Amino acid sequence: MANMRKIACVLMAAGDEMQDGCAKVLKSIEGRAMAARVMDALPVDRFYRAVTVTRYPEVADWARQHGMEVVWNPEPELGACRTIRLGLDAVCGADACMFVVADQPYLSKPSLERLIDRYLDAPGKIVGLSYEGVRGNPNVFPEHYFEQLLKLTGNNGGSAVIREHPDAFVPCEAFDPLELSDRVRDDRRS
């Protein structure tokens, strides 16, 4: 790893949200499943540890192909907090953790590289991908926020911690606004 800080990555891919009769993270976008497209964008070699928390065997296979560890979440109905807990338990020893949701199919490696670099310039801050002032995902949390993340309940995610510490948040501009979207691009628009 090129830096002295141990930044981990947790890909959150356990959700049971359905879209068109299919688990959203398995939905094919331009010939590739949504979760696999997100994994393609992850600069796995920059992370101390990279894990995918999932309940889907297909996602586990893709994660292994990308050099990621797999953590099983058989109870996604317990909410995002369960995935966060499982992910943080798997990356113990990290100085920071980037949480990535598996339903942003247009994330790009350059934007995620920029996010890591931005965190390295502001290591005590929460750094998150944004576009023109709109905050989105992923977000990098320094270790001193892990305890708060572990105390989240239900479907509350990292946004709840960011709302509690607005002065600690540093935005990092994505290269394209579509990267923050969990919707499929409508190619019929001009």
Side-chain angles (χ1 to χ4, degrees):
M1 190 165 75
N3 60 67
M4 298 305 289
R5 291 188 186 88
K6 296 187 292 187
I7 303 171
C9 175
V10 172
L11 177 63
M12 300 174 65
D16 55 3
E17 183 178 349
M18 301 295 282
Q19 192 173 56
D20 301 326
C22 173
K24 190 175 181 185
V25 299
L26 302 177
K27 183 173 174 59
S28 182
I29 309 297
E30 299 170 9
R32 191 121 166 88
M34 200 176 279
R37 289 177 60 99
V38 172
M39 289 178 205
D40 291 344
L42 292 173
V44 174
D45 60 324
R46 300 259 332 248
F47 297 115
Y48 159 68
R49 291 181 74 184
V51 302
T52 297
V53 181
T54 191
R55 69 182 203 148
Y56 301 104
E58 304 96 313
V59 173
D61 290 343
W62 301 326
R64 289 184 193 102
Q65 290 168 15
H66 282 83
M68 300 179 76
E69 298 171 51
V70 175
V71 176
W72 292 101
N73 181 356
E75 301 174 299
E77 66 278 2
L78 297 179
C81 70
R82 173 88 171 138
T83 296
I84 289 169
R85 255 186 237 117
L86 290 168
L88 281 176
D89 286 348
V91 299
C92 61
D95 298 321
C97 187
M98 177 190 291
F99 289 92
V100 183
V101 292
D103 65 353
Q104 288 179 240
Y106 303 109
L107 279 174
S108 73
K109 192 169 280 193
S111 284
L112 296 181
E113 292 272 1
R114 177 185 276 180
L115 181 61
I116 292 167
D117 292 339
R118 185 69 186 257
Y119 172 76
L120 292 172
D121 290 339
K125 301 288 186 174
I126 302 167
V127 181
L129 207 59
S130 63
Y131 193 82
E132 294 183 352
V134 176
R135 182 176 57 77
N137 289 304
N139 293 285
V140 181
F141 290 86
E143 188 269 338
H144 57 267
Y145 291 104
F146 289 3
E147 189 173 327
Q148 279 185 270
L149 290 165
L150 290 168
K151 289 180 180 177
L152 292 170
T153 59
N155 217 25
N156 289 312
S159 290
V161 175
I162 293 169
R163 283 191 299 274
E164 286 184 38
H165 305 281
D167 294 340
F169 182 77
V170 175
C172 177
E173 195 79 355
F175 284 99
D176 186 317
L178 199 54
E179 294 186 65
L180 301 184
S181 178
D182 66 350
R183 303 202 187 287
V184 178
R185 175 175 37 213
D186 183 353
D187 291 321
R188 294 169 292 185
R189 293 179 293 168
S190 17

